[in-house]
Amino acid sequence: MAIFLILAPYGVFTFLMLVASAAVSVFTASAVCLATIAIDLWYGRSVKMLAAGSAIILAAIGLYIVLVDPAFGTLGVKVSVDVGIFVISLGSMLIRKPFTLQYAIEAVPAEIAAMPGFMRANYIITAAWTAAALLMLAANVVLLYVPGLPIWSSIAIAFAARNSAIYFTKWYPEYRKIKYGTPPNALPHTH
């Protein structure tokens, strides 16, 4: 469920860019970000920097379109969103608070979060998402400068990059459990 809430704004944005205006797409995606924040708060979880940052970036792009450049192109909007996601992801590592840490702390027992490799694992997972964002950005920039390329090439790269990051996010913690083991009483007991 968590991964659905994390990716929902971007799924909405991507779908709406196919059937609606850029302004409608970014404002709706920003509203979905705000809804995910509200859901987190409802369940007593923290406000996530990815959701909050994305809400601000998407709304800012929408305001730019409405107030400054109503003819801002689809690729320009996509590049702007990709730059925003990349900046949030890389920026979270630069300020020593990888964005995945907020999600991970709420999903694991305190004993796991206190393990020495927990922070390193979050840096690695956040780096995977940063790389995925960079690949998506590069694919859209290439389309800007090589307009003869088919649009599906950018969509395929974005799909592959996102799905690879999702797979890695699920795989890497399991890999670490197998490689380094789990301390006694770190996992919930089942009877």
Side-chain angles (χ1 to χ4, degrees):
M1 180 67 161
I3 199 80
F4 171 76
L5 286 177
I6 296 165
L7 295 177
Y10 311 108
V12 167
F13 167 74
T14 301
F15 172 74
L16 287 177
M17 285 297 288
L18 297 172
V19 298
S21 71
V24 166
S25 301
V26 292
F27 282 131
T28 303
S30 181
V32 173
C33 287
L34 294 174
T36 64
I37 292 169
I39 290 168
D40 276 341
L41 292 173
W42 178 265
Y43 286 103
R45 297 184 296 246
S46 65
V47 174
K48 309 299 186 288
M49 75 174 76
L50 180 62
S54 294
I56 293 166
I57 288 166
L58 290 162
I61 294 167
L63 289 172
Y64 176 81
I65 293 167
V66 170
L67 300 175
V68 178
D69 187 2
F72 196 47
T74 299
L75 279 176
V77 172
K78 288 180 179 179
V79 167
S80 300
V81 170
D82 290 343
V83 166
I85 294 168
F86 177 75
V87 167
I88 292 168
S89 188
L90 181 62
S92 74
M93 291 191 298
L94 293 175
I95 64 168
R96 300 184 177 268
K97 294 179 190 289
F99 80 85
T100 60
L101 186 63
Q102 291 179 296
Y103 300 99
I105 285 175
E106 293 176 353
V108 301
E111 295 86 2
I112 296 287
M115 292 176 68
F118 187 75
M119 181 63 93
R120 178 174 165 75
N122 276 280
Y123 272 105
I124 291 169
I125 293 169
T126 301
W129 281 100
T130 304
L134 186 59
L135 281 172
M136 291 185 276
L137 172 61
N140 282 322
V141 168
V142 167
L143 282 179
L144 275 174
Y145 292 104
V146 186
L149 285 176
I151 191 81
W152 63 262
S153 62
S154 172
I155 294 169
I157 291 170
F159 183 80
R162 185 201 65 229
N163 286 349
S164 295
I166 290 170
Y167 175 79
F168 185 80
T169 299
K170 292 177 180 180
W171 171 82
Y172 190 69
E174 294 302 317
Y175 163 78
R176 286 192 58 87
K177 273 191 229 174
I178 292 167
K179 184 173 181 181
Y180 298 109
T182 304
N185 301 323
L187 296 176
H189 294 290
T190 56
H191 297 290

